[in-house]
Amino acid sequence: MNDSSWGAPPQAGYWGPTDQGHGQAYGQSHGHGHIRSQGHGYVQGAAPAGPAYDAHEAPQTRPMPIVPDAAAYGGNQDDDRGAAQRSGPPVRSETNPEPMPDSSEPAPTPQKKSAGRDLGAAIGVGVGLGAVIVASLFVVKAVFVGVVAVAVVVGLWELTKRLEERKGIRAPLVPLAIGGAAMVVAGYVRGPEGAWVAMALTTLAVLVWRMTEPPENYLRDVTAGVFAVFYVPFLATFVAMMLTADDGPQRVLTFLLLTVVSDTGAYAVGWRFGSHKLAPRISPGKTREGLLGAVAFAMAAGALCTQFLIDDGAWWQGLLLGLAVAVTATLGDLGESMIKRDLGIKDMGTLLPGHGGIMDRLDSLLPTAPVVWLLFVLFVGSG
């Protein structure tokens, strides 16, 4: 409580109003001792330190307590106020006191952690996608290449649509879609050389296509287009190149299983034990405990898959493969989270209930594909 709520303290040289019962006022001046006067008014002496107010005009910020038989203020004013509060009636505080906890009320029940998505829909969609992928993967390889090409085209559509909606960036979709599908097919048919040539031609097509529109923001639009060429179809081409090996379906299945297991381990461990944020500015939901869970789950699955699915594979190679998948999948997820934060959106699309869009499922797969392809080539060769 500040001093102003108690009114202005008496000052030397200031004469207050006389007591109404006696009609007397007392004061103190320098060198004259005590001077007594009758009635109201001022006594010659030291100049008043502040303006004089009549008793009925004195401003008060709050009513003062009545102090019976108390001496005038003097000396330490804080002590006087404390004495006044003790001897007079209680003063109501202007601040609301904290309510005391009611022991009769039951303690609030802690809220359970929420998954944040429709888990039933997410599981259903995931099982459906897995069935389509596995069926196309082990029946006819070319069908699976078509599935990858379709996913690339839809992912490009989602990415360019969000860029235009949120940032006004108009990356040309037509050359991106045609060139992206061609890159996947070229990687499967001609290998790395075909993928590089298709990427170069797609980039050139993006530059030329944008020339048909006004030059304003040309550099911005083509830069976004070249980024889209690399981010979606070029990285997806490594999945098609994995498929060209004799045990290609097993390699692709291992790649998909390790990525899914890594995401599942990160989610399960992070949801249950996560308390230390991994990258709060990018993705507040990810934790360090979740990353450890991703590494553990992916390494275990990698050892099993490499030992029993890959020709000439060894379990220790699977451990390294699982570690690499956990790291790249997490980085891919954080990378897309950064893009979505920049765009101010939660999901890239709504095509897959419980998951978001196609790009929300490709975020961890795309950067993982070239790493898995390279490690397979190093461990067991390209054939």
Side-chain angles (χ1 to χ4, degrees), residues 286-309:
K286 289 181 174 51
T287 61
R288 300 174 189 175
E289 292 82 3
L291 177 59
L292 294 178
V295 171
F297 276 54
M299 291 181 70
L304 294 174
C305 290
T306 307
Q307 182 69 37
F308 296 107
L309 292 180

Side-chain angles (χ1 to χ4, degrees), residues 7-16 26-30 46-51 73 77:
Q11 308 269 347
Y14 166 76
W15 288 94
Y26 297 91
Q28 183 179 6
S29 73
H30 300 286
Y73 285 137
Q77 296 179 8

Side-chain angles (χ1 to χ4, degrees), residues 92 95 107 122 129 148 176 179 188 198-199 214 221 253 257 272 281 284 287 298 309 324 329 332 350 372:
R92 181 180 178 182
T95 59
L129 288 175
V148 174
L176 284 173
Y188 176 71
M199 180 181 179
D221 294 343
L253 181 61
L257 284 176
R272 181 65 181 85
R281 291 186 177 181
T287 61
L309 292 180
T350 57
V372 172

Side-chain angles (χ1 to χ4, degrees), residues 274-344:
S275 59
H276 300 86
K277 300 298 182 181
L278 178 64
R281 291 186 177 181
I282 303 175
S283 184
K286 289 181 174 51
T287 61
R288 300 174 189 175
E289 292 82 3
L291 177 59
L292 294 178
V295 171
F297 276 54
M299 291 181 70
L304 294 174
C305 290
T306 307
Q307 182 69 37
F308 296 107
L309 292 180
I310 305 302
D311 295 342
D312 302 324
W315 64 269
W316 63 268
Q317 296 170 340
L319 291 178
L320 297 178
L321 185 65
L323 175 61
V325 167
V327 173
T328 54
T330 302
L331 291 176
D333 202 352
L334 290 175
E336 179 147 328
S337 295
M338 182 75 85
I339 295 173
K340 290 189 286 189
R341 280 195 170 275
D342 187 25
L343 296 178

Side-chain angles (χ1 to χ4, degrees), residues 239-256:
V239 181
M241 290 191 294
M242 257 187 264
L243 194 60
T244 60
D246 295 336
D247 58 348
Q250 289 82 3
R251 295 190 185 193
V252 173
L253 181 61
T254 299
F255 153 69
L256 295 174

Side-chain angles (χ1 to χ4, degrees), residues 77-315:
Q77 296 179 8
D78 291 334
D79 295 339
D80 291 340
R81 294 192 196 102
Q85 288 182 346
R86 289 190 296 269
S87 59
V91 181
R92 181 180 178 182
S93 173
E94 291 181 356
T95 59
N96 295 327
E98 257 188 57
M100 297 296 293
D102 190 357
S103 58
S104 63
E105 293 183 1
T109 57
Q111 295 183 350
K112 293 181 66 177
K113 290 184 178 180
S114 173
R117 291 185 183 273
D118 188 345
L119 196 57
I123 293 174
V125 171
V127 171
L129 288 175
V132 171
I133 290 172
V134 171
S136 62
L137 187 60
F138 287 96
V139 175
V140 180
K141 289 183 178 181
V143 175
F144 179 76
V145 175
V147 171
V148 174
V150 171
V152 164
V153 172
V154 176
L156 286 169
W157 172 75
E158 289 180 346
L159 179 60
T160 56
K161 195 71 173 176
R162 300 295 90 78
L163 288 175
E164 184 175 0
E165 288 176 352
R166 307 298 297 182
K167 296 290 187 178
I169 300 174
R170 302 182 62 184
L173 178 61
V174 173
L176 284 173
I178 296 175
M183 289 169 62
V184 174
V185 174
Y188 176 71
V189 175
R190 303 294 297 179
E193 296 83 359
W196 280 110
V197 172
M199 180 181 179
L201 293 176
T202 302
T203 302
L204 181 61
V206 168
L207 299 177
V208 174
W209 190 278
R210 180 58 180 80
M211 291 179 184
T212 60
E213 298 181 9
E216 287 78 19
N217 298 318
Y218 174 82
L219 184 60
R220 181 196 66 181
D221 294 343
V222 298
T223 301
V226 173
F227 164 74
V229 168
F230 171 81
Y231 183 47
V232 185
F234 179 72
L235 295 180
T237 300
F238 288 91
V239 181
M241 290 191 294
M242 257 187 264
L243 194 60
T244 60
D246 295 336
D247 58 348
Q250 289 82 3
R251 295 190 185 193
V252 173
L253 181 61
T254 299
F255 153 69
L256 295 174
L257 284 176
L258 293 189
T259 307
V260 172
V261 167
S262 172
D263 288 347
T264 304
Y267 171 79
V269 175
W271 179 76
R272 181 65 181 85
F273 302 104
S275 59
H276 300 86
K277 300 298 182 181
L278 178 64
R281 291 186 177 181
I282 303 175
S283 184
K286 289 181 174 51
T287 61
R288 300 174 189 175
E289 292 82 3
L291 177 59
L292 294 178
V295 171
F297 276 54
M299 291 181 70
L304 294 174
C305 290
T306 307
Q307 182 69 37
F308 296 107
L309 292 180
I310 305 302
D311 295 342
D312 302 324
W315 64 269

